[in-house]
């Protein structure tokens, strides 16, 4: 299992809720005889806060988000109605956060397995990351001896996706990355049977499995080294984070699809130089590029794992640092950029970024200034 997909971590602390606080824009209220030039409004402060979970407790407690408990949450996703779903890895469950209340959506805490079924009758080996289709179905990468893909309907019915080419459970290349597009297609990375190479793979709503052939804009084949991040934007462009496992250098590709062919351009970073430099295109550097999410603005947010940072990449490839400080580590609530603990999957909803903090067993909310 890859470094950032090592979900079974021991001695972690668990879950609760604190609402995000943004410093409000101050009004220029004038008293009698006040100046005709009131002071400018205060600038909103971007912040890191706890959205759900209690960092001082580990468990499987449902109820109000402030008192609920998690055990190694690794994945988080949000449906269009604003319901949050959490892959609660060491509880072997999928949790739901709706209107400030946490419930267990699928699986049963403490019950490990791979049984299909509805709600608590289903079991998971190690739910990792989550993608949600436009129809509201959840797709979960389940990490056991292999990484399989489980589908969960809005009614909580869990099934295991089958690869029609083999008749067996569909397996990824051992990564937990998964994404859904607006046509209902699901994307994962698998291993090509003939070559052993990592390949981008599409699962259609009808269950067909298509390997996407990646080429550069010049038409030459593009091979993936160790793909470690995956996201899709509103135009169904696919973004792939690829990594050099020897030096942890990372590159972000934007892939335009045409059927089962994808044309990839380098948006930022490179596979040859690791670091934490901001800047345009390949002048920027990453160190362990991982989970990706695309905001409605078109900006991409990336978990730069070994730098303990969240990086922001504009549609033009300009890289900046949203949160975290290189070489510093821990749960530091308050103004950005702050200091980050070990985080995993990223999600976007409203004007905020959310992430699973598996060190502290909480879901964090990062609210950038408008």
């Amino acid at each position: 299992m890859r470094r950032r997909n090592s979900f079974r971590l021991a001695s972690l602390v668990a879950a609760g809720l604190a609402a995000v606080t943004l410093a409000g824009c101050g009004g220029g209220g004038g008293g009698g005889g006040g100046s005709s030039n009131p002071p400018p409004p205060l600038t909103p402060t971007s912040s890191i806060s706890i959205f759900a979970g209690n960092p001082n407790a580990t468990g499987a407690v449902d109820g109000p988000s402030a008192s609920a408990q998690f055990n190694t949450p690794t994945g988080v996703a949000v449906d269009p109605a604003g319901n949050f779903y959490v892959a609660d890895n060491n509880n072997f469950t999928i949790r739901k956060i709706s209107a400030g209340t946490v419930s267990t959506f699928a699986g049963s805490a403490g019950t490990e397995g791979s049984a299909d079924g509805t709600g608590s009758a289903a079991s998971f080996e190690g739910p990792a990351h989550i993608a949600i289709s436009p129809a509201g179905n959840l797709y979960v990468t389940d990490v056991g001896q292999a990484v399989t893909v489980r589908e969960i309907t809005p009614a909580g019915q869990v099934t295991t996706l089958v690869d029609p080419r083999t008749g067996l459970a569909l397996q990824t290349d051992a990564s937990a990355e998964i994404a859904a597009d607006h046509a209902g297609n699901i994307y994962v990375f698998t291993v090509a049977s003939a070559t052993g190479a990592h390949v981008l793979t599409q699962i259609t709503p009808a269950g067909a499995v298509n390997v996407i052939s990646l080429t550069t804009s010049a038409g030459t084949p593009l091979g993936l080294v160790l793909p470690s991040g995956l996201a899709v934007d509103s135009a169904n462009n696919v973004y792939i984070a690829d990594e050099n496992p020897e030096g942890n250098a990372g590159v972000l590709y934007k892939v335009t699809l045409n059927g089962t062919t994808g044309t990839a351009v380098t948006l930022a970073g490179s596979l040859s130089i690791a670091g934490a430099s901001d800047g345009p295109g390949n002048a920027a550097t990453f160190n362990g590029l991982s989970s990706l999410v695309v905001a409605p603005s078109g900006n991409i947010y990336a978990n730069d794992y070994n730098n303990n940072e969240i990086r922001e990449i504009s549609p033009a490839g300009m890289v900046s640092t949203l949160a975290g400080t290189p070489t510093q580590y821990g749960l530091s609530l308050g103004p950005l950029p702050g200091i980050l603990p070990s985080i995993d999957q990223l999600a976007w909803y409203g004007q905020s970024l959310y992430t699973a903090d598996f060190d502290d067993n909480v879901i964090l909310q990062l609210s950038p200034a408008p």
Side-chain angles (χ1 to χ4, degrees):
M1 193 55 54
R2 298 181 187 172
R3 174 188 60 259
R4 60 192 56 78
N5 286 332
S6 298
F7 298 106
R8 302 180 188 283
L9 303 178
S11 304
L12 298 177
V13 219
L17 179 144
V20 66
T21 53
L22 291 177
C25 294
S35 167
S36 60
N37 296 311
L42 297 175
T43 302
T45 301
S46 302
S47 65
I48 304 173
S49 62
I50 295 176
F51 174 70
N54 180 351
N56 298 312
T58 302
V61 176
D62 288 335
S65 297
S67 56
Q69 297 175 12
F70 299 92
N71 189 353
T72 322
T74 53
V76 60
V78 193
D79 71 15
N83 298 305
F84 286 72
Y85 296 88
V86 177
D88 198 2
N89 186 264
N90 275 354
N91 277 327
F92 312 110
T93 57
I94 303 298
R95 313 287 291 280
K96 180 178 181 179
I97 308 171
S98 181
T101 299
V102 177
S103 60
T104 300
F105 182 64
S108 179
T111 301
E112 181 179 4
S114 56
D116 290 339
T118 301
S120 61
S123 59
F124 299 89
E125 293 185 284
H129 285 188
I130 304 171
I132 301 180
S133 74
N137 293 318
L138 275 64
Y139 293 86
V140 179
T141 44
D142 194 14
V143 180
Q145 290 187 351
V147 181
T148 58
V149 180
R150 316 289 296 278
E151 179 182 14
I152 312 175
T153 68
Q157 174 68 44
V158 180
T159 55
T160 302
L161 292 191
V162 172
D163 188 335
R165 302 169 299 181
T166 64
L168 303 174
L170 179 71
Q171 296 183 7
T172 79
D173 64 347
S175 69
E177 302 306 315
I178 190 165
D181 69 16
H182 290 263
N185 298 303
I186 306 302
Y187 298 88
V188 294
F189 299 115
T190 64
V191 175
S193 57
T195 63
H198 300 272
V199 291
L200 177 65
T201 301
Q202 177 194 72
I203 303 102
T204 71
V209 176
N210 301 316
V211 172
I212 306 298
S213 299
L214 298 178
T215 64
T216 68
S217 55
T220 57
L222 175 69
L224 298 175
V225 181
L226 189 64
S228 53
L230 187 60
V232 183
D233 68 15
S234 59
N236 290 340
N237 297 303
V238 178
Y239 295 85
I240 296 174
D242 199 10
E243 182 186 357
N244 175 353
E246 295 182 1
N248 292 323
V251 63
L252 178 64
Y253 296 118
K254 178 181 179 179
V255 179
T256 303
L257 296 179
N258 182 8
T260 58
T261 299
T263 302
V265 297
T266 298
L267 199 60
S270 76
L271 288 172
S272 58
I273 303 174
S277 298
D278 291 335
N282 58 15
T285 55
F286 304 102
N287 190 348
L289 197 58
S290 183
S291 177
L292 306 173
V293 68
V294 186
S297 64
N299 290 333
I300 303 100
Y301 294 88
N303 178 2
D304 194 0
Y305 191 86
N306 290 328
N307 279 328
N308 288 332
E309 291 182 317
I310 295 175
R311 312 292 291 279
E312 180 180 16
I313 304 98
S314 76
M318 178 61 71
V319 178
S320 57
T321 299
L322 173 69
T325 305
T327 74
Q328 297 190 44
Y329 165 87
L331 178 58
S332 175
L333 305 179
L336 294 178
I339 300 171
L340 290 176
S342 291
I343 60 172
D344 208 316
Q345 190 176 17
L346 304 176
W348 185 276
Y349 183 73
Q351 296 297 316
S352 296
L353 188 68
Y354 298 83
T355 186
D357 169 6
F358 58 82
D359 268 354
D360 301 291
N361 293 327
V362 296
I363 304 303
L364 298 179
Q365 180 176 8
L366 290 79
S367 292

